[in-house]
Amino acid sequence: TSKAIVIGSGIAGIATSIRLAVKGYQVLVLEKNNYPGGKLSEITLGNYRFDAGPSLFTMPHFVEELFALASKKTNDFFEYDAHDTCCHYFWEDGTFLKAHSNHQEIENEVENVFPTNGKLFTKKLKKAAFINEQVGDLFLKNSLHDVRNFLNFKTLKALSNSWKLDLQTTYHASNKKDLKNSKLVQLFDRFATYNGSNPYKTPGIMSIIPHFEHNVGTFFPKKGMVSITNSLVQLAESLGVQFQYNTIVEEILVENEAVIGVKTANKIENSAIVVSNMDVYFTYQKLLPNQKAPKKILCQERSSSAIIFYWGIKSEFPNLDLHNIFFSKDYKTEFETIFDKKTIFDDPTVYVHISSKCLSNDAPKGAENWFVMINAPSNSGQNWDELIAKARKVIIQKINKILQIDIEKLIEEESILDPRSIEMKTASYQGSLYGTSSNSKFAAFLRHPNFKKGLKNLYFVGGSVHPGGGIPLCLLSAKIADQYIPTVSKS
Ligand code: FAD
């Protein structure tokens, strides 16, 4: 048989289904929810629409690549625009920085706002580009579990240059050395949260992250983030992929050290290959109970999670943009509180995403849809109801202080997402947003590979495996797995 089964329709599962269909497989995606996309989905509250999870869209070429692979025109399915401002940054002492994506503009802005040389900002971005050039392909586009990927001139040269990659220092220390101004250091430290890590622990090589936002650019889909999911599902279906919703895979079936299919509540589905887009922790625990689990990999520290308030706000704020940050006064303690004390901080950094700034239909006239998020520890049984009540209070206090308003009065719709509900909705172990954290030098090597040695026909994709979480990396996990999956023979 040339049948392939994909467990889960997260973004990596959908991308895999497209790649397999192009390779000649007859693909069936089994999804436990009644909608596709996992974390990349949407909710509506009254007259407001919200993207449920991701809000920052970087590296759209990895989405476009899938349309090209299927010989289709992206614009027939999916459209997006570049956004010329990366973020609006606010501090409680009244400092405000508009982070333009244009390098000359951000240099000028930094010089106007801070008593520091604006070139420090763009120099740091050049360093990000250098790191990407040196090791981006090695770490993000290839398997780290295949020795052949290390035995080439480019990789060996990059590794011999490792002192330039800040491998031996923390990301925070690298920012402090390069940027000097404490607010700029905080601004760059925040990029560590893009993969759910702690800037005071994650290695300096994370300086690569701002490259994607500031050098490649920030984008926004014309029909919201959810249209990444919807358009790729449409593409997959046009290639013959079948999506079966409300279907929980209960077991991956193994015979003679090879996977032969899966079992759902009422059916056995045989297949030539199985790709799991389910969190790798639960894949072993729930679907492969008789296989030896790679304990060292599975007990890695998890990335942070989040508490999100979706607020329908019956007013408009011209000083806010698509992405806004209200910084904590004490970032170090905020991260210690999240990762060491595993609770939420009294003065959290608040992220406010307002898609109605670009998509006017997402909120009624004169109103805005606020996606308000703080980082939170992954779920280890904390009293979340109590923590959510506390978070709501401190977030409102912070926004009121910085914007000089009474935001609570303007909230006309509300819904909440927390680590428990993230875990329940998408079967992500401990509700982590990005699989495992990168809080150690070796984290990249301790993510699960995209295949399994000793068990044929089984592959892994998604945020919990190599190369990690976030939409672009999930799309790359599908691309790497694809390199190891045989093409269907025509005979
Ligand atoms: P997931 O989205 O985790 O989906 C897995 C799917 O598998 C789910 O649909 C689940 O129901 C299904 N499933 C699991 N088990 C089974 C089973 N046994 N049987 C059948 N189906 C099963 N990324 C960015 O790039 N930018 C951002 O701004 C950003 N912000 C984020 C904000 C939030 C609040 C969250 C939650 C995430 C954010 N991320 C962001 C991260 C990004 O959403 C994820 O890394 C990515 O979407 C994960 O995709 P995935 O392919 O791993 O699958």
Side-chain angles (χ1 to χ4, degrees), residues 8 12 31-33 38-39 54-56 249 277-278 308 462-463 470-471:
E31 167 56 55
K32 78 173 175 61
N33 293 332
K39 298 183 180 76
S55 52
L56 179 65
V249 173
N277 179 214
M278 184 188 198
I308 295 111
I471 298 165

Side-chain angles (χ1 to χ4, degrees), residues 6 51 89 113 146 168 199 239-240 287 292 347 393 403 454 459 465:
V6 179
D51 286 308
Y89 292 103
V113 173
D146 185 338
Q168 305 305 331
L239 300 171
L287 308 188
K292 195 163 175 280
D347 174 27
K393 203 169 126 218
L403 296 183
Y459 303 89
V465 298

Side-chain angles (χ1 to χ4, degrees), residues 355-375:
S355 69
S356 62
K357 293 283 183 192
C358 291
L359 311 173
S360 56
N361 289 340
D362 282 359
K365 206 167 179 337
E368 290 179 343
N369 65 340
W370 284 27
F371 167 109
V372 180
M373 170 171 143
I374 60 164
N375 291 315

Side-chain angles (χ1 to χ4, degrees), residues 55 97 354 368 424:
S55 52
L97 182 96
I354 310 172
E368 290 179 343
M424 209 173 64

